[in-house]
Amino acid sequence: MFIGEFEHQMDTKGRMIIPAKFREDLGSGFVVTRGMDQCLFVYPQEEWQKMESKLRELPFTKKDARAFTRFFFSGATECDLDKQNRINIPASLRNYAGLEKECVVIGVSSRVEIWDKAAWDSYMDESADAFAELAEGLFDT
């Protein structure tokens, strides 16, 4: 399970260190793709296969299903850590998430998310006030 929040810097070639706490669970190969809210989703192979199976079940006759699967899979790339425990994020994914230098890497249960630091800070500022309301709406019976 992935939990926690870590700040890292990306170099000019798009390489960034993956937090030590996440490396073992990500394994030797993992998938990075476009996520929601203009961040990147990082899946270990096992979780990626589960997600792929779920998306494969969506009806291709539905326009929204086709659009979502195209968006999700077309941005996906398989990654490995280099000897310095960095990943090289492709330019198209860096552009999508607005990643430049300061990044935040967060654990979200079965996946890791990579955010531009300013975007993450803004998201947290906007979401903090609504947190109690969200919890109430999700967990009330």
Side-chain angles (χ1 to χ4, degrees):
M1 175 171 65
F2 300 104
I3 58 174
E5 177 179 326
F6 305 88
E7 291 186 19
H8 286 279
Q9 291 189 355
M10 183 178 309
D11 69 15
T12 57
K13 295 180 181 178
R15 297 175 302 196
M16 184 183 66
I17 292 175
I18 291 294
K21 190 172 182 179
F22 296 159
R23 290 180 204 144
E24 185 176 332
D25 289 335
L26 281 174
S28 61
F30 45 90
V31 176
V32 181
T33 192
R34 294 181 196 103
M36 309 303 156
D37 305 309
Q38 284 194 291
C39 72
L40 301 181
F41 286 177
V42 183
Y43 291 97
Q45 283 294 335
E46 183 178 323
E47 288 299 324
W48 175 254
Q49 290 167 358
K50 288 178 190 177
M51 180 61 76
E52 185 180 17
S53 292
K54 287 178 187 176
L55 293 177
R56 216 180 296 141
E57 292 175 11
L58 293 175
F60 74 92
T61 56
K62 300 266 186 191
K63 184 177 182 177
D64 289 346
R66 290 191 311 272
F68 183 81
T69 54
R70 284 179 187 134
F71 179 82
F72 197 72
F73 286 109
S74 67
T77 186
E78 291 183 343
C79 291
D80 289 308
L81 295 175
D82 67 12
K83 292 177 182 176
Q84 286 80 39
N85 294 310
R86 301 174 300 189
I87 60 169
N88 189 0
I89 300 172
S92 61
L93 293 178
R94 292 194 313 264
N95 291 337
Y96 168 77
L99 303 176
E100 291 185 25
K101 186 170 183 162
E102 301 293 325
C103 299
V104 177
V105 183
I106 64 170
V108 188
S109 185
S110 62
R111 71 175 181 270
V112 171
E113 293 181 358
I114 302 173
W115 288 76
D116 170 73
K117 183 175 179 351
W120 175 250
D121 290 345
S122 176
Y123 177 82
M124 288 302 291
D125 288 344
E126 293 170 12
S127 301
D129 293 337
F131 183 70
E133 279 183 45
L134 290 169
E136 218 172 274
L138 291 172
F139 296 107
D140 273 357
T141 55

